[in-house]
């Protein structure tokens, strides 16, 4: 086995090493050498204007060495006192070494102007940032060492030696201008224009421009509202913002070559060069735009308070390749293009109440939110078959639909199987492979054949669309109580148990019980049992007591005599209980879909403590 680690030094230029394990090991050393310079000054003769310069040079170096010694294992016959070779791993030692060196230079230069003129507050920012990155990598390896006692490459066979090397470089530049203005803290305005450039796009097309604006109106500051004493705070918000992404490979805008294949030239074999495919000089930024509106309010000294937010987000120019809309006989590797687009919409609502009543104080709030994404356009073929279009077309559809068969419990007898008015066409041999305990599916379209055309939407993806929570804080004299409930719904999770677990054994179908509603079908049954269906994919909603804490703070006159400033005794717990539609499957609702038997469960913890302040 191998073991190793990177430890970056706390001090400039220092190094640490990982120890090698007995059967072979890995030595790593990492070193970061940062150098930075920063200068800030108030510009003379212009009140409120500040200039700032920042330059950071980061040098990263890492050296990795891996050495593997051969070893054998034996069985021992106690009576005969004989060891017998049972197996071995590697017949000779082998080793590899690599070196990686990179550097990144970051520069920032900015001017910031901040002044208050009577009721006006103005802030202006102008900033330039540049990032330059370069890296070099080298590696070498040899096998068949003469002896495992020499851990240097020269001791390995020259016939097995390999080496490799690579280099990369990239750069970015940004210019940002921002203006913030407020009048009597009543009318709020922020405008921003960001210009970004990246080396990933062709010269002359590297810059993208991304504006944004945010407006706020504190209505409760207006004279016509101040007379409404019940309404103490009301604010309207609206904003628009955009940003760019350049999540594509380097140099996609030019045609290049790559080492590919092995070819015979005379009596020698040599590597060949192949085109990297068609270039796309028009490749540009993916743009995300967000529209947001909201309202904040408080009534009767927070007897009722809350906020409402709604948003709509678009992503256009998402990089993709036309692998579906063009046939594979095109004759070349197609380039990356700004093909696809999607949108996302959602809202969030929070309502709460808080009050002081003598020695009793409480603050209780609840929130709920929803969001979901839809493809505006996705590169795909034109579907003529209505079932293909229903199940496979993405353009204009939600991004997280799950299609599968509709189940109807488990077969109880061969008579029930023989009486089926339709055939399991996907099994090839019809219904001959079916037995009691196998999953029974419905012929949804009634054509006498159970096939992919019978699949319908059975789930909405494995990411919740709805989230909700309930928070409470209570105080009475020295006692305090805080609780947090959280939950989600509007999503699906696969309950499939494809590995042997205790749950698989206990909940499986058995011939003796012959339960048509068993959670696990007949062991070793038909392959159709594990088709995607609502037998496995379940709708999920849950509510969890995430945290609760109860404490008592001793009266001040008691602790003063003991020389303490504050003494608090508490008990707290987390994940104490969960109500979930997945409980009967022994699955945590927050576990990734389909990983129930490979997911470390949520821990339930209870803590006791004493806080002492001196």
């Amino acid at each position: 086995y191998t073991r190793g680690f990177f430890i970056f030094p706390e001090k400039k230029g220092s190094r640490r090493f990982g120890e090698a394990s007995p059967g072979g090991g890995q030595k790593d050393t990492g070193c970061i050498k940062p150098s930075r310079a920063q200068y800030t000054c108030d510009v003379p003769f212009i009140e409120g204007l500040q200039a700032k310069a920042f330059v950071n040079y980061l040098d990263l170096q890492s050296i990795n060495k891996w050495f593997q010694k051969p070893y054998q294992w034996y069985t021992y016959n106690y009576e005969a006192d004989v060891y017998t070779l049972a197996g071995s791993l590697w017949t000779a030692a082998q080793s590899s070494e690599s070196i990686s060196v990179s550097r990144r230079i970051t520069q920032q230069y900015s001017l910031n102007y901040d002044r208050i003129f009577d009721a006006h507050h103005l802030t202006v920012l102008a900033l330039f940032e540049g990032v330059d990155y370069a890296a070099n990598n080298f590696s070498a390896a040899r096998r068949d060492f003469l002896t495992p006692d020499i851990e240097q490459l020269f001791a390995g066979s020259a016939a097995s030696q390999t080496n490799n090397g690579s280099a990369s470089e990239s750069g970015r530049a940004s210019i940002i201008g921002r203006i913030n203005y407020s009048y009597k803290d009543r009318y709020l305005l922020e405008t921003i224009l960001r210009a970004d450039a990246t080396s990933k796009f062709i010269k002359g097309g590297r810059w993208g421009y991304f504006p944004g604006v945010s407006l706020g109106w504190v209505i409760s500051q207006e004279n016509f509202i101040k007379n409404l004493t019940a309404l103490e705070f009301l604010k309207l918000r609206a904003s628009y913002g955009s940003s760019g992404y350049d999540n594509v490979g380097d140099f996609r805008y030019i045609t290049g070559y790559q080492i590919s294949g092995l070819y015979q030239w005379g009596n020698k074999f040599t590597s060949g060069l192949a085109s990297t495919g068609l270039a796309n000089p028009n490749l540009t930024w993916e743009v995300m735009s967000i529209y947001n509106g909201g309202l904040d309010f408080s009534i009767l000294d927070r007897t009722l308070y809350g906020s409402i937010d709604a948003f709509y987000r678009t992503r256009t120019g998402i990089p993709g390749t036309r692998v579906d809309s063009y046939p594979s006989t095109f004759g070349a590797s197609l380039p990356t293009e700004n093909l696809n687009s999607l949108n996302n919409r959602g809202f969030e609502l929070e309502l709460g109440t808080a009050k002081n009543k003598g020695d009793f104080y409480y603050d209780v709030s609840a929130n709920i939110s929803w969001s979901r994404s839809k493809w505006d356009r996705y590169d795909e073929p034109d579907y003529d078959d209505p079932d293909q279009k229903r199940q496979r077309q993405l353009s204009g559809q939600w991004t997280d639909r799950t299609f599968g068969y509709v189940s109807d419990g488990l077969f109880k007898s061969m008579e029930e199987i023989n009486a089926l008015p339709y055939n399991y066409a996907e099994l090839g041999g019809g219904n001959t492979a079916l037995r009691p305990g196998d999953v029974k599916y419905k012929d949804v379209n009634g054509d006498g054949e159970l096939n992919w055309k019978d699949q319908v939407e059975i789930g909405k993806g494995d990411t919740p669309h709805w989230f909700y929570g309930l928070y409470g804080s209570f105080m009475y004299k020295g006692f305090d109580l805080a609780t947090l409930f959280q939950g989600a719904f509007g999503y699906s999770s696969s309950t499939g148990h494809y590995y042997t677990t205790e749950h698989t054994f206990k909940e499986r179908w058995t011939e003796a019980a012959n339960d048509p509603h068993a959670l696990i079908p007949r062991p070793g049954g038909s392959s159709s049992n594990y088709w995607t269906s609502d037998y496995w994919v379940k709708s999920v909603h849950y509510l969890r007591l995430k945290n609760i804490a109860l404490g008592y703070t001793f009266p001040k006159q008691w602790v003063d005599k003991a020389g303490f400033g504050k003494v608090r005794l508490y008990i707290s717990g987390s994940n104490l209980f969960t109500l979930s539609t997945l409980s009967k499957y022994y699955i945590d609702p927050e576990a990734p879909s389909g990983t129930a038997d490979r997911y470390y469960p949520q821990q339930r913890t209870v803590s006791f403590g004493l806080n002492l302040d001196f």
Side-chain angles (χ1 to χ4, degrees), residues 6 21 135 156 224 252-253 342 384 441 459 476 542 587:
F6 277 92
S21 61
F224 64 86
R252 296 292 177 91
Y253 55 87
L342 58 79
D384 296 325
Y441 298 112
Y476 179 71
Y542 76 92
I587 294 176

Side-chain angles (χ1 to χ4, degrees), residues 361-375:
Y361 168 81
Y362 66 88
D363 186 350
V364 179
S365 63
N367 64 80
I368 187 168
S369 64
W370 172 84
S371 67
R372 199 174 184 187
S373 298
K374 179 181 288 188
W375 287 107

Side-chain angles (χ1 to χ4, degrees), residues 337-394:
E337 301 178 67
N338 298 102
L339 283 179
N340 306 318
S341 59
L342 58 79
N343 62 71
N344 184 286
R345 74 293 311 276
F347 74 89
E348 181 175 3
L349 170 65
E350 180 187 13
L351 293 175
T353 179
K355 267 301 182 184
N356 262 322
K357 293 186 177 181
D359 293 330
F360 181 62
Y361 168 81
Y362 66 88
D363 186 350
V364 179
S365 63
N367 64 80
I368 187 168
S369 64
W370 172 84
S371 67
R372 199 174 184 187
S373 298
K374 179 181 288 188
W375 287 107
D376 284 322
R377 183 189 182 280
Y378 192 88
D379 180 66
E380 56 190 338
D382 293 327
Y383 297 106
D384 296 325
D385 186 286
D387 288 306
Q388 285 186 333
K389 185 174 183 179
R390 173 175 59 88
Q391 297 182 27
R392 302 176 186 177
Q393 180 172 292
L394 297 179

Side-chain angles (χ1 to χ4, degrees), residues 252-395:
R252 296 292 177 91
Y253 55 87
I254 57 175
T255 300
Y257 295 92
Q258 59 186 350
I259 296 176
S260 176
L262 192 64
Y263 302 90
Q264 184 174 359
W265 189 266
N267 295 324
K268 296 182 179 180
F269 287 91
T270 183
S271 297
L273 291 177
S275 171
T276 56
L278 298 178
N280 180 14
N282 298 318
L283 188 65
T284 186
W285 292 89
E286 174 191 339
V287 179
M288 183 177 74
S289 300
I290 301 179
Y291 305 83
N292 182 275
L295 179 148
D296 305 308
F297 68 92
S298 177
I299 300 174
L300 294 174
D301 193 23
R302 289 173 58 84
T303 299
L304 178 64
Y305 68 88
S307 63
I308 303 172
D309 279 277
F311 75 91
Y312 183 78
R313 182 183 70 179
T314 62
R315 289 176 57 191
T316 58
I318 300 174
T321 305
R322 297 180 186 270
V323 295
D324 292 322
S325 57
Y326 280 8
S328 58
T329 55
F330 177 75
S333 298
L334 293 167
T336 302
E337 301 178 67
N338 298 102
L339 283 179
N340 306 318
S341 59
L342 58 79
N343 62 71
N344 184 286
R345 74 293 311 276
F347 74 89
E348 181 175 3
L349 170 65
E350 180 187 13
L351 293 175
T353 179
K355 267 301 182 184
N356 262 322
K357 293 186 177 181
D359 293 330
F360 181 62
Y361 168 81
Y362 66 88
D363 186 350
V364 179
S365 63
N367 64 80
I368 187 168
S369 64
W370 172 84
S371 67
R372 199 174 184 187
S373 298
K374 179 181 288 188
W375 287 107
D376 284 322
R377 183 189 182 280
Y378 192 88
D379 180 66
E380 56 190 338
D382 293 327
Y383 297 106
D384 296 325
D385 186 286
D387 288 306
Q388 285 186 333
K389 185 174 183 179
R390 173 175 59 88
Q391 297 182 27
R392 302 176 186 177
Q393 180 172 292
L394 297 179
S395 298

